[in-house]
Amino acid sequence: MKHNAQITFYKCVQDSQEFGSDNEHAVSRVFFTVTVNGKTFDYHCDIRQDYGSSFSYETDPLQVSNPFSKHDHINYEHFRSSVEAYYRSCVGASGNGIKIVGASNIRMTNNTFGKVHSITIETSENSPAW
């Protein structure tokens, strides 16, 4: 059976030592709610980004943790791409929070963005890929 899950991102904490940042990786955390069948649950996921000479908020790959269990039936790839878009909308050249353009070796930590963005993801109890 298929349902729609409403995911509402509401906060991003960028590059926090509390969440595991160190000299090799920036670890940020995105907070969100998931509403399915009239029930709302709170979640968060971690985003890891490698530091390097070409550290770029726009193009460097992001690792997005999967906060869901196999019983949640959320399409992870759709979720991951949505988290990445939300994160990049907060930080970077196109970010609404902090715009970073044409600079290098910049490190800002523990910035908190209170930006609300909602998406809908279809869920499926039948597909093991979801």
Side-chain angles (χ1 to χ4, degrees), residues 51-107:
Y51 288 122
S53 60
S54 65
F55 183 67
S56 168
Y57 289 103
E58 291 80 37
T59 60
D60 279 0
L62 301 175
Q63 298 173 18
V64 178
S65 68
N66 185 351
F68 305 111
S69 75
K70 65 181 181 179
H71 304 292
D72 289 324
H73 308 291
I74 301 289
N75 181 321
Y76 173 73
E77 284 305 314
H78 187 174
F79 168 76
R80 196 201 80 65
S81 65
S82 299
V83 169
E84 183 173 331
Y86 175 79
Y87 176 76
R88 294 187 195 276
S89 75
C90 292
V91 180
S94 61
N96 291 332
I98 296 175
K99 294 186 181 205
I100 302 169
V101 180
S104 62
N105 295 325
I106 294 175
R107 183 169 182 190

